[in-house]
Amino acid sequence: MKKNLLSVLILVLMIVNIVLSAVMMMNIISTNKKTAELMDSIAVAMNLELYSPGEGPTVALSDTDTHSMGSQTIQLARSQAAGEAGSGKDVYIVFDIALLMDKTHADYAAYGETIASYDEVIKNTVSAVVSRYTEDECRASFTEDIRNEILEALQNEFQSKFIYGVTLSNIKYGG
């Protein structure tokens, strides 16, 4: 009888152990899901995922021609909010700009080799886009949002998409 009672006690303890393990696993899984959701929301807020896979043009490097425009200095818009840093004084942004052109595009033959003759038009278009922003707006979104707006303005100016990318580097602010 003692052996049967001991076997039943062991069986009950094993069932309790399985139930408690299942409850613990459910708590861990739900906590893990909440942590993953939190990390996703932080990544979205910080705009860490600048490019999604498959997004944007897929031009091979061998089909890409780069036109360096050199350094450009542009006066930024004045901040409208009173008490903001930089309000009331002129702020300038200085950056190097380069255009990425698709050599396989039909319009590359017309513009690609002579793109240097359009430097002033390109600089004017870039200046028109960037000068609408304040220093704070540029610091917050210069590398992505404004770059995309510059690209769109250049594509509209040339009425073509042979320019498929704009790179901005050595970005500096001064007043």
Side-chain angles (χ1 to χ4, degrees):
M1 187 75 158
K2 285 185 177 183
K3 288 184 181 181
N4 285 340
L5 189 59
L6 193 57
S7 297
V8 170
L9 182 65
I10 290 173
L11 180 64
V12 169
L13 287 175
M14 282 180 33
I15 292 172
V16 168
N17 187 18
I18 290 172
V19 169
L20 289 176
S21 294
V23 168
M24 191 168 55
M25 287 303 292
M26 294 303 240
N27 284 337
I28 290 173
I29 290 172
S30 67
T31 303
N32 197 13
K33 280 184 184 178
K34 290 177 185 174
T35 303
E37 289 172 4
L38 176 66
M39 294 307 290
D40 288 343
S41 67
I42 290 172
V44 167
M46 293 179 63
N47 198 14
L48 291 178
E49 297 175 311
L50 296 178
Y51 297 106
S52 298
E55 183 180 283
T58 54
V59 178
L61 280 176
S62 60
D63 294 332
T64 298
D65 189 14
T66 304
H67 175 64
S68 179
M69 300 282 300
S71 183
Q72 189 165 357
T73 303
I74 300 171
Q75 182 177 352
L76 296 174
R78 289 187 180 196
S79 177
Q80 298 299 320
E84 274 190 28
S87 62
K89 65 177 183 174
D90 293 337
V91 177
Y92 294 88
I93 186 168
V94 180
F95 55 88
D96 295 335
I97 185 168
L99 307 178
L100 303 175
M101 300 178 292
D102 182 1
K103 292 192 278 188
T104 62
H105 195 280
D107 291 334
Y108 179 78
Y111 295 114
E113 298 298 323
T114 60
I115 194 74
S117 64
Y118 296 100
D119 278 357
E120 291 306 314
V121 172
I122 295 168
K123 286 182 179 183
N124 187 41
T125 303
V126 171
S127 180
V129 171
V130 175
S131 64
R132 293 190 305 239
Y133 291 91
T134 65
E135 179 183 7
D136 293 334
E137 292 169 336
C138 284
R139 288 185 187 274
S141 65
F142 193 71
T143 56
E144 184 62 26
D145 298 337
I146 298 175
R147 180 180 54 179
N148 288 338
E149 194 174 335
I150 291 170
L151 176 61
E152 186 177 313
L154 288 172
Q155 288 174 342
N156 289 338
E157 185 73 36
F158 285 98
Q159 297 295 308
S160 176
K161 296 194 184 281
F162 79 98
I163 298 174
Y164 73 90
V166 175
T167 62
L168 305 169
S169 58
N170 298 327
I171 301 168
K172 298 177 186 98
Y173 300 90

